[in-house]
Amino acid sequence: MARGLRLLPRAVGRLRPLLALGATRGFSAAAPEPLHVCVVGSGPAGFYTADRLLKGHEGAQVDIIDRLPTPFGLVRSGVAPDHPETKIVVNQFSRVAANGRCSFFGNVTLGRDISLSELRETYHAVVLAYGAESDRSLGIPGEDLKGIHSAREFVWWYNGHPDMCSLSPDLKNTESAVVLGQGNVALDVARILLRCKSELATTDITEYALDALRDSRIRKVYLVGRRGPVQAACTAKELREILGLKNVCVCIKDADLVTSPADEEEMRNSRIQRRVYELLSKAASAPKDINCNDQKELHFVFFRRPIRFIPSENGSTVGAVELEKTTLKGDEVTGRQLAVGTGEFEDLKCGLVLKSIGYRSLPVQGLAFDKNRGVVPNLRGKVLSSESETATVETGLYVVGWLKRGPTGIVATNLHCAEETVASILEDDTKGVLRAPSDLKKHGRAGLVEILEQKNVRFVPFSGWEKIDSKEKTAGQLRNKPREKITTWDGLQRAANE
Ligand code: NAP
């Protein structure tokens, strides 16, 4: 990884106009001090926050930093390539970036290129929106065998995230893949493994992933859930899509569809759960087309929890997952039905495992972090000093998105989440908490540029992203795709600087 390239003297010169612009744009000497805000993370939560701040405060100057040279977070590296409609939101985010009071600084990593305390000294408000870039772990034996990846890694791989472009999952030496978990991410990765490659060829999936999927020998995908069909975490639209894939035979055991009174109660209380259950029941009883040569199989496996991964004969690659049968038991505290082991075990053979049991946020130095929930403790987006009841509010520090509420929800969920956090910022500003006359002057954008310049951090401005974007679209046209993504750090930095 070639990160943090040193600035050439010529590039330092190029920064100066920006520095000057940041210090003066739109504000005369007599104008009130702008509200300098830095948003860390340029995914949906970050961009919705910037949008609402710019609309809600005419003196707000918002800088968005991101560790990648490219903006848009999960919209670029998480949303499945065959869901182009979900990506249209980038047009709205690009309009936000084009606002004269907003700037993008890609290729800037919090905790490495700039510390949280430096940001807090530079801005009146810092909003952490860096999401969840790690994974929950199962903590069971054999988890580090070859052939076992988190779904996030696999998604980043086919979506061309520069940290995962060399993952190279082995799709050639096995006919069976196990996906652990039954949320929408599990459905995404299963669908990408099973979908006709001709349908994927016209998406923005990376060419190397398309080649690997074309050569894939995987014919059976097992989606394993520790609870039952009523508790499957996916949503109806996504489930309907995978159940309707061409040349895919869906297998569900009738016995797994038997419901208990507690299941019936859950379905009465949740339309989504009822709809998911109905779709699975319908798929179980649908006639199977067994005459097709390139038929693949999608197995929904319920009431099974992973116990350990068993190596194949070579000793280093996964050969099977040992599963324990489960039954459901009501939890008095949460009211949820939880999976409990029955003491009966079985092995499910496979050569590829994708763990899709949830993303996980990472802490940064100088920040309280709830390790159990993987979130920053907060009160309506205001960061708290700890998780305890006596915690105090960290003045000028806010959180939004998955880092605030945990890794759940669709792109649009972040809009409401951002509105709440922005309301907290505006409330604090109105109360005079953020721009107290006694405070040392905060320089916002000009201060950030100065720090980055001192540290020789070569940031990528939005115009750099636009060069990447244009190059990717041109390369995509040659292959009848919306874009061909640039997938390496070096390649992205080169394209941004051309
Ligand atoms: P998720 O919806 O929370 O699903 C996690 C799955 O992992 C659940 O089935 C859960 O089972 C299971 N699980 C968790 N811990 C486990 C363990 N220790 N052992 C076995 N199974 C375990 O998370 P996700 O699929 O990562 O999705 C994240 C969010 O992104 C969701 O809100 C999702 O809807 C959204 N998303 C949306 C789309 C879309 O709209 N197209 C696409 C992708 C993602 P339990 O229920 O038993 O805990």
Side-chain angles (χ1 to χ4, degrees):
M1 248 188 276
R3 308 283 335 268
L5 297 177
R6 304 287 144 226
L7 266 184
L8 300 169
R10 198 158 48 91
V12 176
R14 281 207 303 268
L15 297 181
R16 298 215 182 277
L18 215 157
L19 200 152
L21 181 71
T24 59
R25 180 191 273 159
F27 302 97
S28 71
E33 162 94 331
L35 176 68
H36 294 296
V37 184
C38 183
V39 177
V40 182
S42 68
F47 262 106
Y48 280 133
T49 299
D51 182 46
R52 288 315 193 243
L53 269 168
L54 293 165
K55 285 179 177 150
H57 193 304
E58 60 181 18
Q61 245 190 42
V62 184
D63 297 334
I64 307 176
I65 68 170
D66 199 296
R67 78 179 185 92
L68 291 181
T70 53
F72 311 136
L74 271 189
V75 180
R76 179 172 164 99
S77 58
V79 173
D82 55 348
H83 284 173
E85 66 288 348
T86 311
K87 303 186 193 209
I88 291 171
V89 72
V90 303
N91 296 335
Q92 185 186 341
F93 296 159
S94 299
R95 284 194 294 275
V96 175
N99 186 314
R101 291 186 284 130
C102 183
S103 276
F104 173 74
F105 294 81
N107 209 33
V108 177
T109 301
L110 174 64
R112 191 199 61 184
D113 298 326
I114 193 156
S115 67
L116 186 56
S117 55
E118 283 172 317
L119 281 183
R120 293 181 76 182
E121 280 159 21
T122 308
Y123 289 90
H124 298 116
V126 175
V127 188
L128 302 169
Y130 63 75
E133 291 214 307
S134 185
D135 316 291
R136 281 190 198 132
S137 103
L138 286 163
I140 60 174
E143 213 165 339
D144 51 5
L145 284 169
K146 279 191 206 142
I148 303 176
H149 310 282
S150 72
R152 176 190 59 84
E153 290 168 336
F154 189 69
V155 169
W156 278 15
W157 169 72
Y158 64 61
N159 276 337
H161 189 295
D163 280 353
M164 225 35 82
C165 60
S166 47
L167 182 75
S168 192
D170 185 356
L171 312 179
K172 267 187 176 167
N173 287 307
T174 181
E175 293 207 337
S176 302
V178 165
V179 180
L180 297 171
Q182 294 180 329
N184 282 333
V185 172
L187 262 51
D188 276 349
V189 296
R191 194 179 68 250
I192 294 297
L193 285 171
L194 291 168
R195 199 188 260 293
C196 288
K197 304 316 161 239
S198 59
E199 290 176 357
L200 285 179
T202 51
T203 71
D204 68 2
I205 192 167
T206 51
E207 203 57 21
Y208 62 69
L210 189 60
D211 286 343
L213 288 162
R214 280 192 180 116
D215 291 344
S216 164
R217 282 184 52 237
I218 291 172
R219 310 190 56 73
K220 296 180 186 179
V221 176
Y222 295 86
L223 270 169
V224 179
R226 60 182 170 178
R227 300 193 288 156
V230 174
Q231 293 79 28
C234 56
T235 46
K237 182 167 165 273
E238 287 64 32
L239 180 59
R240 203 177 298 112
E241 183 182 13
I242 198 167
L243 293 175
L245 285 183
K246 260 195 251 167
N247 297 337
V248 174
C249 173
V250 177
C251 308
I252 300 170
K253 287 184 187 147
D254 286 337
D256 286 345
L257 292 163
V258 176
T259 54
S260 68
D263 289 335
E264 295 295 334
E265 175 73 14
E266 276 194 49
M267 285 193 279
R268 269 194 298 279
N269 294 331
S270 161
R271 202 174 62 85
I272 297 178
Q273 281 176 261
R274 193 183 67 239
R275 205 57 209 112
V276 164
Y277 176 78
E278 285 168 357
L279 285 166
L280 290 167
S281 303
K282 199 170 150 202
S285 58
K288 312 276 180 261
D289 174 12
I290 47 167
N291 296 321
C292 177
N293 280 340
D294 63 345
Q295 181 95 9
K296 293 186 178 150
E297 294 171 15
L298 172 62
H299 295 257
F300 283 84
V301 180
F302 295 104
F303 302 110
R304 299 288 187 279
R305 69 175 185 192
I307 293 298
R308 68 181 175 117
F309 297 104
I310 303 167
S312 63
E313 279 165 17
N314 73 19
S316 61
T317 309
V318 68
V321 188
E322 183 178 343
L323 300 170
E324 182 179 19
K325 292 186 188 173
T326 61
T327 184
L328 297 187
K329 190 165 175 265
D331 180 64
E332 281 176 13
V333 181
T334 61
R336 275 162 56 96
Q337 294 202 76
L338 299 182
V340 289
T342 62
E344 276 182 81
F345 301 89
E346 65 188 21
D347 295 347
L348 182 52
K349 283 193 175 157
C350 59
L352 176 75
V353 175
L354 300 175
K355 296 178 291 176
S356 186
I357 60 166
Y359 286 56
R360 187 173 167 75
S361 296
L362 295 169
V364 286
Q365 205 182 358
L367 187 66
F369 194 72
D370 178 340
K371 287 202 185 89
N372 290 330
R373 294 181 54 224
V375 298
V376 171
N378 70 92
L379 185 68
R380 297 189 310 278
K382 298 183 190 189
V383 170
L384 298 175
S385 59
S386 74
E387 299 153 58
S388 81
E389 283 178 9
T390 54
T392 51
V393 167
E394 292 277 349
T395 306
L397 191 57
Y398 304 85
V399 63
V400 69
W402 280 7
L403 189 61
K404 171 183 170 187
R405 17 172 255 278
T408 57
I410 59 171
V411 170
T413 315
N414 291 297
L415 177 56
H416 307 291
C417 186
E419 281 172 347
E420 184 185 66
T421 295
V422 169
S424 291
I425 298 171
L426 299 182
E427 176 190 283
D428 285 351
D429 188 52
T430 307
K431 283 187 189 158
V433 174
L434 302 179
R435 292 182 288 174
S438 57
D439 277 357
L440 285 177
K441 193 165 163 54
K442 304 211 173 185
H443 297 285
R445 187 173 306 162
L448 174 67
V449 171
E450 203 174 320
I451 293 170
L452 297 180
E453 188 178 320
Q454 274 165 8
K455 296 187 181 184
N456 285 344
V457 177
R458 192 172 194 177
F459 69 83
V460 173
F462 203 75
S463 58
W465 151 246
E466 284 170 335
K467 288 181 195 165
I468 296 171
D469 187 39
S470 154
K471 200 168 177 187
E472 289 186 344
K473 283 178 173 160
T474 306
Q477 268 172 6
L478 300 173
R479 296 189 159 118
N480 197 24
K481 297 167 79 171
R483 69 175 65 240
E484 186 57 56
K485 286 182 185 168
I486 300 170
T487 61
T488 61
W489 285 99
D490 280 350
L492 288 164
Q493 280 159 347
R494 262 200 314 275
N497 285 310
E498 267 172 17

